[in-house]
Amino acid sequence: MTAKPKVFITDFVTDDLHIEREVLGSLADLAALGAKSERELWGKVEAAFALIIYHAVELREPTITRLNQCRVIVRAGVGFDNVDIQFARSRGIPVVNIPDYGSEEVADTALAMTLALTRGVHLMNSQLRAAAGPWSYKLAVPVFRLRGRVFGVIGLGRIGTAAALRAKALGMEVLFYDPYKPDGYDKALGVHRAESLEELLPESFVLSIHCPLTEETRHMIDRRAIGLLPRGAYLVNTARGPIVDQGALLEGLEQGHLAGAGLDVLEEEPPRDDDPLIRAWRDPGHPAHHRLILNPHAAFYCEEGFHEMRRKTAEACRRAILGQPLRNVVN
């Protein structure tokens, strides 16, 4: 009797695999490994026909080398910076992602952070809770009307586009920088293209980041970039933590150059307690305490989107098992 193909979920999802089982049925043997590090995968994944990887572990050459039977690696999410996609390709293993499961939710989070920051909602709530001022709108002075202000977008992909359309609905002017976006897309959406960061940043009242993490974008938003933003600007990052230099961001808040920031992602997740940004955020005497919103890499989440992501990862494995064409191959 021929053994069934083995499908392993490396991390994050560890129990109640009913969604994946509904899709795969009797086609495969399914198991969740619950790994917290790549090293924990060794000795467990060698027989994998398909691997589903979330974001709690990395998949680099030492592990990919062991995948002698693997026909697909499915990154359960949009970003794939935790997988060495080029080495996987050299081993003949396609890597696919799930680019559309949470586009609305991440865009909604970016706009939620934008509104909470620019309307003073977070600032006033934080100060009132700490009894740090009078029961007055003056806690958040100055607050400016959003209509006509520039919502700057880095990366006009699926999520960046969704965020841009939401900002337009608020009456904001959308200016984007994305050198990989074909001409004409801006006209179709009614937004405007910046040819460089030097053009985008000085115009951006709100800067919202939606590009992938690559060597090109790592620390793209550094001290110089933050200095190019107008004084009193806001920065929102729902993409990947290392795109923003956290030390430079902290300086921007300390010096009052940034009026506030919202981060769903950090350079290290979860952060260390002694991380300077975390210490400042927790310090009632530091400007970041009231002006920084932190979320635990949760912008992707809603019940419907999470279920959709799990179903689509299983469907990608099913296609590989049945020999059908794969979708969303990133390598």
Side-chain angles (χ1 to χ4, degrees), residues 3 12 34 43 57 59 76 94 123 156 182 187 195 254 281-282 291-292 327:
F12 195 62
V57 301
L59 211 57
L123 177 61
L156 200 69
K187 294 184 181 299
E195 297 296 338
E254 287 173 340
W281 174 64
R282 290 173 173 163
R291 295 185 176 274
L292 176 62
R327 298 168 63 91

Side-chain angles (χ1 to χ4, degrees), residues 133-159:
W135 195 270
S136 168
Y137 74 93
K138 294 181 180 180
L139 287 171
V141 170
V143 166
F144 299 101
R145 179 174 291 161
L146 288 179
R147 180 170 297 278
R149 296 268 172 174
V150 172
F151 185 80
V153 176
I154 297 180
L156 200 69
R158 298 170 183 85
I159 298 171

Side-chain angles (χ1 to χ4, degrees), residues 73-75 77-81 83-86 88-89 93-99 158 326-331:
I73 295 169
V74 185
R75 170 64 180 95
V78 180
F80 42 84
D81 48 278
V83 180
D84 188 336
I85 63 172
Q86 296 307 326
R89 170 49 61 191
I93 305 173
V95 179
V96 307
N97 72 340
I98 311 298
R158 298 170 183 85
L326 299 176
R327 298 168 63 91
N328 306 309
V329 177
V330 297
N331 65 340

Side-chain angles (χ1 to χ4, degrees), residues 17 22 35-36 44 56 70 83 97 131 135 220 229 231 240:
L17 307 181
E22 286 176 3
K36 297 292 191 297
K44 298 177 182 178
C70 191
V83 180
N97 72 340
W135 195 270
M220 172 186 284
L229 290 167
R231 186 171 184 84
R240 284 292 184 269

Side-chain angles (χ1 to χ4, degrees), residues 126-205:
S126 184
Q127 291 184 101
L128 288 172
R129 180 178 52 217
W135 195 270
S136 168
Y137 74 93
K138 294 181 180 180
L139 287 171
V141 170
V143 166
F144 299 101
R145 179 174 291 161
L146 288 179
R147 180 170 297 278
R149 296 268 172 174
V150 172
F151 185 80
V153 176
I154 297 180
L156 200 69
R158 298 170 183 85
I159 298 171
T161 298
L165 292 175
R166 284 156 171 74
K168 279 189 66 179
L170 298 176
M172 300 187 77
E173 297 291 330
V174 175
L175 184 66
F176 78 93
Y177 171 64
D178 188 336
Y180 301 100
K181 207 69 184 173
D183 289 341
Y185 199 77
D186 47 336
K187 294 184 181 299
L189 291 176
V191 300
H192 304 283
R193 179 190 292 272
E195 297 296 338
S196 65
L197 284 177
E198 288 74 16
E199 181 182 348
L200 174 78
L201 297 175
E203 301 295 326
S204 297
F205 179 63

